[in-house]
Amino acid sequence: MTTIVLNVNQRRYSLQVLPWVSLLDALRERLKLTGTKKGCDHGQCGACTVLCDGKRILSCLTLAVMKDGSDVTTIEGIASGDDLHPLQQAFIEHDAFQCGYCTPGQICSAVGMLNEGKARTREDVKELMSGNLCRCGANTGIINAIMEVKEGGGLE
Amino acid sequence: MVGRPVSRLEGKLKVTGAARYAAEYDVPDLLYGYVVNSTITKGKITRIDVSAAKALNGVLEVITHENRPDVASVDLKYTDMDAPPGVVFKPLLDAEVKYNGQPLALVIAEDFETARYAATLVIIEYQEEPFETCLDHNLEKARKPEKGLATMLKPPPPPPTGNFEQAFKDSPVKVDSEFRHGTEHHNPIELFATTTVYEGEGKLTIYDKTQGTVNNQLFVANVFGLHYKDVRVLSPFVGGAFGAGLRPQYQLYLCVMASLFLKRNVRVVLERKQMYPFPHRPQSYQRLRFAADANGRLTALNHLAISEASQFEDYVETVAQWSHKLYPAPNTLFEYKLASLDLFTPLDMRAPGGVTALHAIECTMDELAYEASIDPLEFRLRNYAETDPVTGKPFTSKALRECYMRAAKQFGWEKRSPAPGSMTRGNKFVGYGMATGIWDAYQFPSRVEAMITQDGKLVLNNAVTDIGTGTLTVMTQVAADELGMPMENVTFNYGDSKKPFSMFQGGSSMTASTGVGIVVAVKALKKKLLKKAKDIDGSPFKNVSGEDVAFRDGSIFLRRSPSVSVSFQEIVAANGGRPVKTTNMGAPHVLKLRKYAKATHSAAFVEVEVDKELKMITVTRAITAVAAGTIINPKTARSQITGSMVWGISKALHEETILDEKLGKYMNQNLAEYHIPVHADINELDVIFADERDDLINELGVKGVGEIGLVAMPAAVANAVFHATGKRIRELPIHFDKLL
């Protein structure tokens, strides 16, 4: 067992984990932050996307011990209290989900993608969001929601 | 509220991560189960050694066929509501292996990682036997399916009419085509999972990924010999299912078994690869021979469909007879057969049978239109059925013509030049394709409890799930309208087997089923409220009848003098503070509907670009027009259609489960190799809802939108690919290599 510290959604957690515990399982099973989803556990679907030190990462391909001392933002930490993040609001308005299971990963990924500042066009956004699968086929709603926020002047 | 594009009521829970799915309930002292699956396809276990796994620190138990607890011995006890004819497969029953990936053991440990590691330490030795898994090699074994209860919803093809062979021979225009589809898996993004809470004394609370809470409740009770009232199945959030949740899956069975065995709370989550030895859309072979006269009127329709079944159950789909639900023809011959293979039983996957059939039918229609030198849309219009071609009965409603016309106009179909390869854009060929869609309009009985609580608000209870379809929102809209109440004063409780009965959520049936249940229950509740209002001392409603009053904003009013009213709160207060409630069953009008045919319809128009050298195919834009009766919520209904259109593009161009017939095993058991469209694959999608009023079908005039958006799309894409390239590709998915 190793003792690590994770700063998740601006709260400090000290936890004991074995090296084989993924960040995803640490969040879901140890910290009970189940907003981060497991869809493949192989880095193929994007449902487990979280922000780590401001960058989007796949928490299923990350061991918890690798992130000792890091700042992690999960979907539970995207809103400011009761005020939804503009992306969260846009996802609701554009009906950018059906079952909702890929949604936390899509939103965290979109926050990270917009932070990266590489996307210029709708085509860029589609390409840079293509690591996040949606089986319900809400693709157009998701991209519409992100474009609205992007064109509305970014994040905050 | 009906007709308004209301945003999903559970939206905030879903975008903040607060919505809890089956594997996410925080349960004390939870144990984790991990499944060990067979590495062979057929044979017997000769030795199973769990000692190393059990010796591992943190492992509590390994359950195998050798030490499993007793389960029901009668086959019938395993028969869930959606079980096809045959004998339901029972995990860990005995040493026999019937398909690759069959669950053979469950390791239970204190944590997930330990269970997963211990599973690798279970040693299994087998005696292998020969097997058959490839449909194409076994077509000659095809036979008629067994009949059973499930046959009621999926009737066999009707008997032949006229003389097909003679008519086909004599017709001047004809096409004879073969179509092959591989396997597809539902692949919802949520992994199949069950969390079982052991409440003691044979009582269980189960959080399960399912489309039918009551179905799985009864299954668990029957199999494990529990009283059904002691088993509660909850499934308020379902991370996609698409049919895979219509029957209880093996993680439920194993999780409950472990919970009862150890008298502990247990969670079993399947890995992605463990969701491939699983229900799936079956492999299929189709041969279609369609013929027309010189004027482009269909004369003869023959559709033979052969699908895969398992060795233990005859799963059937409605495939062969769809063409005659769309187009009249005097000579018809439809056949549907199954070939049993050493694979797990297939199961309904979004638009089961329909999407398989309509790809073949609508590609054949396109081919026939070209043979007859008639525009493909015009060809459909010449063969338009005003009444049901099979029975001659009128449709309850059919706005398919409007679908064709509005979608064609918006798409710009008139700009199409018919010759293949005649339209280009830079270094791309451009193709326009269209196809027709049809799906049934199902409705099942549904029981709803409706009550007015002390605060004068409406609460509704029903066991139905919301698998992402928008059921919560739509049902709240229906109830709000029925009682004249704002939506925020309506609470719809669902996803719980303890609530009044609902069938599993499938077949595009739930808006009609639960919706009618709500209408019936709220109507009864209004009567009861009026009766209670009359009982109040000095009530101004003493001598009035139902027609004299209106219900609005939580009160009953006298129509002729609206200042006279009584609020629901006052009625409940006069009722001693006890909620005024009623429970009623909504059901289809079977007798009345016998005189009619019922169906939803659609028309899909698709533009593709095909790279001239690389042959890469892109669906650049698509429009689907849908006739499905009243659309209760255009926002969520639109998402159902665009989602289905993505599925159609996926079926046409992306997804397939690849079977290695020498190993009897699926080879791409992960989301990197099982391709579904990513955001970059999806371009402009548009939806038109035809103005279709249906006063006959049910109280709400709704016909369902879950599947109708999918059925026409694969053929529309394939026809567009033909128009772009001149190549008829009759196997799906169409990858670029097939065009090289």
Side-chain angles (χ1 to χ4, degrees), chain A residues 20-21 25 28-30 32 34-35 37-41 44-45 47 75-76 82 84 88 91-93 95 97-101 103-104 106-107 123 126-127 129-130 132-133 135-137 139-140 142-143, chain B residues 7-8 11-12 14-17 19-21 24 26 32 112-113 117 185-187 189-191 238-240 242 267 272 349 467-468 635-636 639-640 643 646-647 655 670-672 676 678-680 682-683:
Chain A
W20 65 8
V21 176
D25 288 324
R28 282 171 67 85
E29 306 296 339
R30 309 295 207 281
K32 314 293 180 192
T34 53
K37 304 303 183 194
K38 186 188 276 192
C40 70
D41 224 9
Q44 298 168 341
C45 75
I75 191 68
E76 290 94 340
D82 274 349
L84 292 181
Q88 291 174 314
F91 265 60
I92 294 174
E93 271 156 30
D95 210 30
F97 51 87
Q98 290 201 273
C99 79
Y101 198 79
T103 312
Q106 302 277 0
I107 291 172
E123 289 308 305
K126 280 161 60 175
E127 194 64 41
M129 284 299 295
S130 280
N132 291 82
L133 300 178
R135 183 55 157 165
C136 294
N139 309 73
T140 52
I142 291 167
I143 303 302
Chain B
S7 293
R8 277 168 216 274
K12 190 169 178 185
K14 284 179 175 171
V15 300
T16 56
R20 287 200 188 276
Y21 298 79
E24 299 175 349
D26 187 15
Y32 292 79
F112 167 67
E113 292 80 8
Y117 174 56
H185 278 74
H186 305 75
N187 272 314
I189 302 294
E190 183 197 12
L191 300 168
V238 182
F242 314 109
R267 173 174 299 157
R272 177 60 53 183
M349 178 165 161
I467 54 174
K635 186 180 262 192
T636 53
S639 294
Q640 283 281 56
V646 172
W647 271 60
E655 71 182 272
N670 62 76
L671 290 175
I676 63 168
V678 298
H679 294 305
I682 299 302
N683 297 299

Side-chain angles (χ1 to χ4, degrees), chain B residues 256-549:
Chain B
V256 169
M257 181 179 270
S259 181
L260 291 169
F261 196 48
L262 299 171
K263 299 187 173 9
R264 291 282 301 270
N265 303 334
V266 181
R267 173 174 299 157
V268 177
V269 183
L270 298 184
E271 296 272 5
R272 177 60 53 183
K273 65 176 185 236
Q274 293 173 330
M275 285 166 54
Y276 285 80
F278 219 58
H280 53 275
R281 197 193 295 284
Q283 307 167 59
S284 65
Y285 163 86
Q286 299 177 77
R287 184 180 175 198
L288 283 78
R289 291 183 292 161
F290 285 9
D293 64 20
N295 298 320
R297 305 279 289 208
L298 288 163
T299 53
L301 299 172
N302 169 216
H303 191 157
L304 163 69
I306 301 175
S307 284
E308 145 211 353
S310 65
Q311 298 290 3
F312 36 94
E313 286 173 311
D314 268 8
Y315 166 77
V316 298
E317 294 178 331
T318 302
V319 183
Q321 58 264 50
W322 283 109
S323 60
H324 206 209
K325 292 285 275 180
L326 277 173
Y327 308 116
N331 305 283
T332 63
L333 175 61
F334 303 121
E335 299 164 275
Y336 179 70
K337 294 178 180 175
L338 294 179
S340 296
L341 300 172
D342 298 301
L343 293 162
F344 191 62
T345 308
L347 180 55
D348 290 346
M349 178 165 161
R350 207 167 191 177
V355 69
T356 306
L358 280 150
H359 165 240
I361 291 164
E362 288 297 294
C363 286
T364 304
M365 287 294 284
D366 197 69
E367 209 167 337
L368 205 52
Y370 269 87
E371 288 294 320
S373 300
I374 301 170
D375 172 81
L377 173 58
E378 170 59 23
F379 186 59
R380 266 94 172 170
L381 292 170
R382 283 192 202 180
N383 289 285
Y384 193 86
E386 299 291 351
T387 55
D388 178 17
V390 185
T391 60
K393 292 174 186 174
F395 286 98
T396 59
S397 60
K398 181 178 176 180
L400 175 58
R401 196 187 300 276
E402 184 190 333
C403 291
Y404 283 139
M405 294 311 172
R406 285 178 63 185
K409 187 168 179 223
Q410 189 174 321
F411 182 83
W413 183 254
E414 79 284 354
K415 294 190 202 99
R416 180 182 189 267
S417 78
S422 62
M423 292 167 70
T424 59
R425 192 180 289 146
N427 68 334
K428 309 258 172 64
F429 289 114
V430 175
Y432 286 6
M434 60 84 56
T436 318
I438 181 168
W439 187 250
D440 208 317
Y442 293 113
Q443 185 190 339
F444 299 118
S446 179
R447 210 168 145 78
V448 172
E449 180 181 50
M451 69 172 96
I452 298 294
T453 54
Q454 261 185 341
D455 52 6
K457 294 181 178 175
L458 174 63
V459 175
L460 300 153
N461 292 316
N462 179 260
V464 72
T465 51
D466 181 344
I467 54 174
T469 41
T471 308
L472 164 64
T473 312
V474 164
M475 292 310 139
T476 307
Q477 286 176 268
V478 167
D481 269 12
E482 194 57 43
L483 199 55
M485 205 173 221
M487 281 179 67
E488 55 268 27
N489 290 343
V490 179
T491 304
F492 179 61
N493 297 310
Y494 61 100
D496 180 354
S497 66
K498 241 185 158 174
K499 310 288 181 207
F501 175 83
S502 168
M503 280 291 278
F504 43 72
Q505 184 166 31
S508 300
S509 65
M510 270 310 134
T511 303
S513 307
T514 320
V516 168
I518 285 174
V519 169
V520 170
V522 174
K523 279 195 199 309
L525 184 66
K526 283 162 133 177
K527 276 192 187 161
K528 205 159 182 180
L529 285 166
L530 180 59
K531 189 175 170 295
K532 297 272 179 196
K534 289 180 183 193
D535 292 345
I536 299 172
D537 279 345
S539 171
F541 296 94
K542 282 260 187 280
N543 298 311
V544 304
S545 70
E547 298 91 74
D548 301 328
V549 298

Side-chain angles (χ1 to χ4, degrees), chain B residues 182-209:
Chain B
T183 313
E184 290 171 21
H185 278 74
H186 305 75
N187 272 314
I189 302 294
E190 183 197 12
L191 300 168
F192 265 77
T194 306
T195 305
T196 303
V197 182
Y198 186 79
E199 312 271 15
E201 299 302 310
K203 279 183 106 155
L204 301 176
T205 300
I206 302 168
Y207 301 97
D208 188 38
K209 179 175 176 65

Side-chain angles (χ1 to χ4, degrees), chain B residues 54 73 299:
Chain B
K54 266 191 96 163
S73 53
T299 53

Side-chain angles (χ1 to χ4, degrees), chain B residues 210-217 233 245-246 463 465 502-505:
Chain B
T210 177
Q211 290 167 258
T213 56
V214 177
N215 193 21
N216 286 8
Q217 171 203 24
V233 174
L246 288 171
T465 51
S502 168
M503 280 291 278
F504 43 72
Q505 184 166 31

